[in-house]
């Protein structure tokens, strides 16, 4: 397979063996193959029942892995960090998601690329805008920058003055 570029979202809101969530994120990045760009780590509010704030970032990697092979690699890293499947949107020591792939779209058992929820998540789009603002969503044709702008506009309209 030719070399592909992937955008990976990384988040943590629970300390682990590496320390605070920010340290968990940094440790996970070190285990990823061929990292070519890293966005700054941001703090974000949780979605769902968790009460702990998240440390989030995005990275770009290059690999010959196809999407299922990369997903298996990411899930192995999550297991190594002690991640266990449990409550949806609960506290987690590490979360690694494939957001975009230079090959376009992928759909299969347990994996959809682009990530199904990324267009509505500022904790994904804001860091991704720092490293891949011009990357186009293969479904909507909009750039990451445009998606982030639209989401910020929706957030501003939803917030009372």
């Amino acid at each position: 397979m030719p070399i592909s570029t992937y955008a990976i979202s990384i988040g943590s809101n629970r300390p682990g063996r590496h320390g605070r969530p920010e340290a968990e994120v940094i440790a996970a990045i070190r285990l990823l193959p061929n990292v070519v760009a890293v966005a700054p780590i941001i703090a974000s509010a949780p979605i769902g029942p968790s009460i702990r704030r998240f440390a989030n970032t995005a990275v770009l990697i290059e690999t010959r892995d196809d999407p299922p092979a990369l997903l298996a690699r990411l899930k192995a890293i999550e297991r190594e960090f002690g991640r266990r499947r449990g409550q949806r949107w609960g506290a987690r020591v590490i979360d690694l998601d494939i957001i975009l792939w230079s090959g376009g779209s992928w759909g299969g058992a347990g994996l959809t690329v682009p990530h199904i929820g990324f267009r509505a998540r500022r904790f994904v789009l804001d860091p991704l805008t720092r490293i891949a603002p011009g990357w186009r969503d293969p479904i909507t044709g909009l750039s990451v920058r445009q998606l982030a702008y639209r989401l910020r506009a929706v957030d501003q309209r939803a917030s009372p003055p």
Side-chain angles (χ1 to χ4, degrees), residues 34-65:
N34 307 313
V35 175
V36 296
V38 180
I41 296 172
I42 63 167
S44 64
I47 294 176
S50 182
I51 59 171
R52 299 172 188 232
R53 291 186 62 76
F54 270 84
N56 291 100
T57 192
V59 301
L60 300 179
I61 66 168
E62 293 179 342
T63 179
R64 291 188 186 280
D65 289 348

Side-chain angles (χ1 to χ4, degrees), residues 8-9 32 67-85 92 94-98 109-111 115:
I8 308 296
S9 178
L32 294 172
L70 180 59
L71 179 65
R73 187 186 294 215
L74 298 180
K75 295 306 172 196
I77 292 171
E78 288 180 347
R79 284 190 302 277
E80 184 178 324
F81 276 61
R83 170 95 187 257
R84 300 290 177 259
R85 293 290 161 200
R92 60 201 58 182
I94 201 70
D95 187 29
L96 302 165
D97 289 318
I98 300 171
L111 177 62
H115 188 283

Side-chain angles (χ1 to χ4, degrees), residues 99-100 114 118-122 125-126 128-129 133 135-154:
I99 303 301
L100 293 167
F118 92 100
R119 295 170 201 89
R121 296 179 178 167
R122 287 198 53 192
L125 289 173
D126 288 349
L128 195 53
T129 299
W135 194 331
R136 294 209 174 264
D137 172 3
I139 305 301
T140 66
L142 297 172
S143 70
V144 168
R145 181 186 296 116
Q146 290 169 319
L147 291 167
Y149 177 82
R150 285 181 172 201
L151 188 54
R152 280 192 298 276
V154 167

